[in-house]
Amino acid sequence: MSESIGVEKVELKHDQPDRDNQNQEALLVVNGLKKTYRSSGFRKQVDPVLQGVTFSLMPGETVGLVGASGAGKSTIGRIIAGLENADGGQVFLEGKDLLSMKAKERRLSAKSIQMVFQDPYESLSSLMTIEQLVAEPLVIQKLESDRFKRKKLVQKALNDVALAPEKYMNRYPHQLSGGERQRVGLARAFICQPRLIIADEPTSMLDTSLRLDLLQLMREMGRRYGVSYLFVTHDIALTRSFCDRLIVLDRGKIVESGCTSDVIDHPAHPFTKSLIEALLELEHY
Ligand SMILES: Nc1ncnc2c1ncn2[C@@H]1O[C@H](COP(=O)(O)OP(=O)(O)O)[C@@H](O)[C@H]1O
Ligand SMILES: [Mg+2]
């Protein structure tokens, strides 16, 4: 693993993976990630959004990235997925330094990291059928050129997310419910056989009962196909049953991390305490 020079340095003391995993190589290592947006007005204001973010994720692990709105969670997800550039730091996937790769090599690695977005309606083109939408990543990533084989893979992916292919393949996104659309988003992510899925607030457009259904489906599929999740959410309550570990982000810095139940039941940082108190207050209404 020649590219992993920086990896040893980035193990956080409070961020140790469980003992079973200690001899395994991390799936994802994010090391000192920095990002600043420069606003374009008369006064060129500089807003540091990520101020040296470091964490790792083991194969098969589900890690929750929690924090208030505007903390920088989506920026982290977009940088890992290659949708945005960083100003500093490194991202290693299975020891390979993604941010220093040439464009062609980066495209080859891109299939290993898929994203599920908050709003499936916005992220799915309204002019494409469900069959075309689920097949699209195979076409973009040049993973399957045979139309017949692509159709078979789409049918399998739809079956996996409990959408009967014969019923859904020819429909358009507006002919689906929010929960069904989000399942299409999941099928699109899984069809590339990724190692990591970054799910950015995937349930926030859904009703409470559908939220838990989607998380349950994500968990089952993650286990079946050995996929890890970085689950981005402002709602710490959703992480209790879904995440092995939590990372708490406050204004571009990680302020706490650890096993989910430890963080929720015994939060150490004032910011984490305030997230949990806000949640308890909401539950009273
Ligand atoms: N493209 C952009 N240009 C300028 N500022 C941005 C851009 N994207 C995000 N930001 C700012 O960066 C901060 C973090 O955003 P984001 O990563 O979306 O936070 P979160 O997902 O935690 O709500 C916010 O203050 C947001 O306004
Ligand atoms: Mg966000």
Side-chain angles (χ1 to χ4, degrees):
M1 200 182 63
S2 57
E3 299 94 328
S4 63
I5 306 145
V7 174
E8 270 77 38
K9 283 190 290 185
V10 302
E11 284 283 356
L12 298 178
K13 273 205 193 88
H14 55 286
D15 194 18
Q16 291 290 344
D18 21 301
R19 226 169 266 152
D20 293 350
N21 282 336
Q22 267 178 10
N23 294 325
Q24 261 183 314
E25 185 189 348
L27 175 68
L28 177 80
V29 174
V30 172
N31 184 21
L33 210 57
K34 291 196 175 129
K35 177 76 184 176
T36 298
Y37 290 111
R38 277 164 197 86
S39 47
S40 49
F42 170 65
R43 293 175 61 202
K44 293 241 183 298
Q45 213 179 329
V46 173
D47 303 317
V49 171
L50 301 179
Q51 308 187 51
V53 170
T54 295
F55 65 92
S56 59
L57 198 149
M58 301 305 288
E61 204 182 18
T62 293
V63 172
L65 175 58
V66 297
S69 178
K73 306 180 298 295
S74 295
T75 303
I76 296 175
R78 288 200 304 268
I79 292 172
I80 297 170
L83 303 176
E84 186 137 19
N85 293 324
D87 294 332
Q90 297 149 305
V91 176
F92 297 92
L93 183 77
E94 295 177 312
K96 291 195 187 125
D97 184 351
L98 296 182
L99 303 188
S100 65
M101 277 180 184
K102 299 220 166 64
K104 193 176 168 197
E105 204 186 347
R106 181 75 176 93
R107 269 200 301 278
L108 289 175
S109 289
K111 76 173 181 65
S112 302
I113 304 178
Q114 294 294 313
M115 275 200 88
V116 175
F117 295 95
Q118 173 172 6
D119 183 350
Y121 208 56
E122 217 169 61
S123 58
L124 301 177
S125 163
S126 59
L127 300 175
M128 289 166 81
T129 63
I130 302 308
E131 178 179 355
Q132 289 167 334
L133 282 165
V134 178
E136 190 184 37
L138 295 175
V139 178
I140 292 174
Q141 304 279 347
K142 298 191 173 70
L143 297 175
E144 184 52 75
S145 56
D146 182 309
R147 278 181 75 172
F148 182 73
K149 286 185 186 157
R150 269 208 307 269
K151 190 173 193 125
K152 288 268 168 228
L153 289 171
V154 170
Q155 285 168 336
K156 180 176 179 298
L158 287 174
N159 272 322
D160 277 347
V161 296
L163 295 175
E166 61 281 5
K167 193 170 157 196
Y168 288 93
M169 292 236 281
N170 296 322
R171 289 202 195 172
Y172 289 88
H174 72 271
Q175 296 169 319
L176 267 59
S177 72
E180 288 167 342
R181 277 197 290 269
Q182 206 48 309
R183 282 165 191 254
V184 171
L186 208 56
R188 270 166 65 92
F190 270 91
I191 204 163
C192 293
Q193 300 186 312
R195 302 297 322 275
L196 171 68
I197 290 180
I198 299 167
D200 191 346
E201 312 264 9
T203 63
S204 57
M205 308 287 281
L206 305 177
D207 297 342
T208 315
S209 64
L210 288 177
R211 280 181 192 172
L212 298 179
D213 285 352
L214 188 80
L215 289 182
Q216 173 77 16
L217 178 66
M218 284 171 63
R219 194 187 4 213
E220 277 166 22
M221 290 185 67
R223 287 201 181 137
R224 193 180 322 151
Y225 293 111
V227 170
S228 304
Y229 290 103
L230 182 64
F231 177 57
V232 174
T233 182
H234 67 281
D235 187 351
I236 201 167
L238 287 174
T239 63
R240 195 189 272 281
S241 61
F242 185 60
C243 298
D244 304 310
R245 220 150 40 85
L246 288 188
I247 301 168
V248 183
L249 190 75
D250 181 23
R251 286 164 287 178
K253 286 185 187 154
I254 292 180
V255 293
E256 183 162 0
S257 72
C259 157
T260 306
S261 53
D262 284 353
V263 172
I264 292 181
D265 296 335
H266 310 286
H269 195 274
F271 174 71
T272 319
K273 285 182 189 160
S274 70
L275 271 186
I276 291 164
E277 274 161 20
L279 185 78
L280 292 176
E281 269 173 35
L282 270 181
E283 279 174 357
H284 274 97
Y285 287 98

